[in-house]
Amino acid sequence: MNQIIRENLSISVNTIDLLNDQIKKEAKASAMYLAMASWCDQNGFEHSANFFYEQSSEERDHMIKIFKFIIDNGGIAYSPEVTQINHEFASILDVYKTALHEEINVSKSIQKIFLNCRKENDVASELFLQWFINEQLEEEQKMRHAVKIYELHGEDVENLYAIDKRLATS
Ligand code: FEO
């Protein structure tokens, strides 16, 4: 990044670099969820498809939120390139397990940036990230709930579609 711009920042330079990495992760999550929506749609899980369309959109919102935070504070935000999105899943349980795994990784990444802000006394960024930490807990819970339900009741094929409907209203 341009040195003059960096000298006039109200948040740490290191944080900006880490947040640009986080933008890539949010964009990847958004694309992954779109692929999951497609798989769910093709396999008759229409409620889960809607769920993942919404999740994809939420992840894009997260990306934009970080993007604007960087720009509003004098940094340069980079539009991410997203490649190698998986479209193949073994089952609906596999879809939700993959989504849970993704959310846990994103949570760890956010927490790492948060702790780095604390180390560098970047209070503004720490406060900004507080919202993401809470949001991640909610998202993990949603995925964990779906994994648990499919693990407990998903052996019977008929049940798979009943669960799909039930999860949409839970
Ligand atoms: Fe914005 Fe759930 O990662």
Side-chain angles (χ1 to χ4, degrees):
M1 192 191 294
N2 181 302
Q3 197 57 36
I4 298 166
I5 294 171
R6 282 185 174 233
E7 281 168 8
N8 288 299
L9 293 170
S10 50
I11 59 177
S12 112
V13 166
N14 210 3
T15 302
I16 290 180
D17 291 341
L18 292 171
L19 289 177
N20 265 307
D21 281 342
Q22 190 62 35
I23 283 173
K24 291 182 202 161
K25 292 187 170 84
E26 302 292 342
K28 187 170 181 204
S30 177
M32 275 178 71
Y33 291 159
L34 207 51
M36 288 173 182
S38 172
W39 186 94
C40 290
D41 219 11
Q42 287 170 59
N43 288 278
F45 297 100
E46 66 178 285
H47 299 285
S48 291
N50 289 337
F51 172 75
F52 281 110
Y53 280 125
E54 270 175 36
Q55 292 304 304
S56 174
S57 171
E58 279 189 23
E59 297 302 350
R60 187 177 188 282
D61 291 345
H62 297 168
M63 179 189 81
I64 297 295
K65 208 174 168 97
I66 299 171
F67 205 89
K68 287 193 171 152
F69 179 77
I70 294 174
I71 288 174
D72 289 347
N73 288 289
I76 297 175
Y78 294 99
S79 182
E81 186 180 358
V82 180
T83 55
Q84 295 181 323
I85 297 301
N86 176 42
H87 286 78
E88 304 294 327
F89 300 95
S91 63
I92 187 71
L93 175 60
D94 184 31
V95 170
Y96 279 105
K97 273 187 171 175
T98 306
L100 175 58
H101 187 252
E102 175 64 17
E103 290 300 340
I104 291 170
N105 281 341
V106 169
S107 296
K108 282 183 186 163
S109 174
I110 296 273
Q111 286 165 18
K112 209 168 135 190
I113 304 172
F114 181 93
L115 290 174
N116 197 72
C117 293
R118 185 161 282 186
K119 203 171 74 190
E120 296 191 354
N121 295 326
D122 183 348
V123 181
S125 300
E126 189 180 316
L127 281 174
F128 169 72
L129 287 168
Q130 186 82 56
W131 181 89
F132 283 87
I133 289 174
N134 293 333
E135 176 74 3
Q136 277 310 118
L137 289 180
E138 269 181 36
E139 295 196 334
E140 274 186 43
Q141 281 164 15
K142 279 188 218 166
M143 301 305 177
R144 200 170 278 117
H145 176 67
V147 166
K148 192 170 82 182
I149 299 290
Y150 275 109
E151 276 182 342
L152 286 173
H153 307 288
E155 289 195 357
D156 175 349
V157 176
E158 286 305 311
N159 250 351
L160 289 177
Y161 294 98
I163 294 170
D164 179 56
K165 218 171 196 170
R166 186 177 136 195
L167 281 175
T169 54
S170 65

